[in-house]
Amino acid sequence: MGQLRSTGEGLLSRAETLLTGQDPDAVAAVLGLWPEWPLALRTELAMRTLPKLDPAIQATVLAHLTDGAGPEVRPQIRERARGSDPAVRSAALRAMATVGDASDVPTLVQAAAEEPTPAKEAARWALSRMTAPGIAEALVDQLVDAPTESQVEALMALRARLETRAVPHLLQVLRTSPPPARVAMLRALEELAGPEWFDPLLRLVSELRDPEVQNQLVEFFQRWLERLAGQPLDTTALVEALLTDTSPSRTALFAIAAWVQDARVRAAIQQPLKSTEPGQRQAALQTLCQTRDPDLLPEILQECENAADPRLRTRLFE
């Protein structure tokens, strides 16, 4: 044991001999001291021994590589990530967090989408922790041509990594994505988009007019605005849309306005309450039923007093 603690000449050979031998206590001693050795020595030891070890010890050595290893061992890890032994494959996928680079992202995303547990979880873990350059960009690339299941996994990784740089790419891809990926993208945007993205996100309401998509966008805005509560928003585009939009998107816009506390938005809700056009007034009433703005309480009380329909009064105070 004392010789193994030394970093002197011959340590690498001694460690290799013990790790590939038949004495379980010697193997345990090498693995126990592994974290104490220099990175270069650990990397070389892994490269020498991985081809000689049985699967159980291979998996343990690969697990130790998550504490650090040089890129020289990357080819061996990639080979084992494609292997047939489940424990070795999972450990290799997990080790990608330390030694993998952007070119490994498609492999990890595919494993996260298709592999059984625990390989799936190992791939997800690695994707969330990789530090090599270009990881975010490689994940975004998966949103273009990859199968839907892989797109969803890439989005989960972007969320886990808090990759705010991906927001403009998500907005672009969202316009043409299939329903499962679209839901995952909106979930990612909930966590990644800041208040500066309010206007670009709002434009989606006018561009994507499918009723199902509109409902998804309204639900997205409700959750997102709740997360951003108290942060300033530029509501210029929303106010203009509330006052001028006569398309079917108007209903969604008023539903979004219910979650915004802003003087100009408040005025844009108050104005159509006095309108003789039934559609405009109905949209504003629906907003009053959902509003989170306490400064609209006078209007709520006034509408309750004037309402002939008891169901409207109930909805206004739900």
Side-chain angles (χ1 to χ4, degrees):
M1 182 73 77
Q3 290 180 324
L4 290 176
R5 288 189 183 278
S6 166
T7 57
E9 184 178 351
L11 171 60
L12 180 61
S13 296
R14 289 194 297 274
E16 179 184 0
T17 299
L18 294 173
L19 189 58
T20 56
Q22 301 301 313
D23 184 349
D25 291 335
V27 172
V30 172
L31 294 174
L33 292 172
W34 188 288
E36 299 182 15
W37 293 330
L39 181 69
L41 188 147
R42 285 181 277 157
T43 301
E44 182 64 27
L45 182 59
M47 293 173 61
R48 289 190 185 188
T49 59
L50 278 172
K52 306 174 185 178
L53 300 173
D54 63 49
I57 305 301
Q58 276 192 54
T60 304
V61 169
L62 288 166
H64 279 65
L65 298 184
T66 60
D67 294 326
E72 297 85 358
V73 76
R74 191 180 296 148
Q76 292 207 36
I77 294 177
R78 288 171 174 163
E79 179 183 348
R80 282 154 184 79
R82 299 187 297 268
S84 59
D85 185 274
V88 172
R89 189 166 65 251
S90 296
L93 290 168
R94 195 175 178 89
M96 290 286 191
T98 305
V99 300
D101 61 22
S103 68
D104 295 305
V105 166
T107 298
L108 288 166
V109 168
Q110 183 178 5
E114 299 177 3
E115 289 277 1
T117 307
K120 177 188 293 290
E121 295 304 323
R124 288 174 174 171
W125 189 89
L127 285 168
S128 68
R129 290 166 173 79
M130 295 176 81
T131 58
I135 301 300
E137 292 79 3
L139 286 167
V140 168
D141 288 343
Q142 293 293 297
L143 304 180
V144 180
D145 297 320
T148 299
E149 295 80 4
S150 294
Q151 291 184 37
V152 171
E153 291 295 336
L155 288 162
M156 289 175 58
L158 289 168
R159 287 173 59 190
R161 298 170 62 86
L162 297 178
E163 293 284 2
T164 56
R165 295 171 296 172
V167 170
H169 303 286
L170 295 183
L171 287 173
Q172 186 63 36
V173 178
L174 179 65
R175 291 169 166 83
T176 57
S177 59
R182 183 173 61 241
V183 171
M185 286 183 194
L186 289 173
R187 287 290 187 184
L189 285 167
E190 282 179 38
E191 298 181 25
L192 301 179
E196 69 276 12
W197 291 102
F198 184 58
D199 187 11
L201 285 164
L202 197 64
R203 286 199 293 270
L204 293 173
V205 179
S206 299
E207 295 174 15
L208 305 176
R209 297 194 175 185
D210 177 82
E212 180 184 358
V213 179
Q214 295 252 308
N215 289 336
Q216 291 172 349
L217 287 170
V218 169
E219 292 173 2
F220 157 77
F221 271 101
Q222 289 172 347
R223 293 188 297 264
W224 182 62
L225 290 169
E226 190 170 30
R227 181 176 73 82
L228 296 182
Q231 298 189 47
L233 296 170
D234 182 356
T235 60
T236 303
L238 176 59
V239 171
E240 181 179 351
L242 292 174
L243 295 175
T244 62
D245 195 322
T246 59
S247 73
S249 301
R250 177 177 57 187
T251 301
L253 292 167
F254 271 92
I256 293 166
W259 290 74
V260 179
Q261 296 185 34
D262 174 85
R264 294 189 300 164
V265 173
R266 191 178 309 125
I269 295 170
Q270 292 165 335
Q271 181 173 320
L273 289 172
K274 305 168 186 175
S275 174
T276 57
E277 200 278 304
Q280 290 188 12
R281 176 168 164 75
Q282 184 59 37
L285 281 173
Q286 182 65 26
T287 304
L288 284 186
C289 293
Q290 300 174 338
T291 187
R292 298 299 188 271
D293 188 349
D295 288 335
L296 284 171
L297 183 58
E299 283 73 20
I300 293 174
L301 293 173
Q302 183 66 46
E303 291 297 332
C304 281
E305 183 178 336
N306 296 336
D309 186 348
R311 292 174 298 180
L312 176 58
R313 290 196 293 271
T314 300
R315 290 172 57 212
L316 284 164
F317 273 102
E318 279 181 346

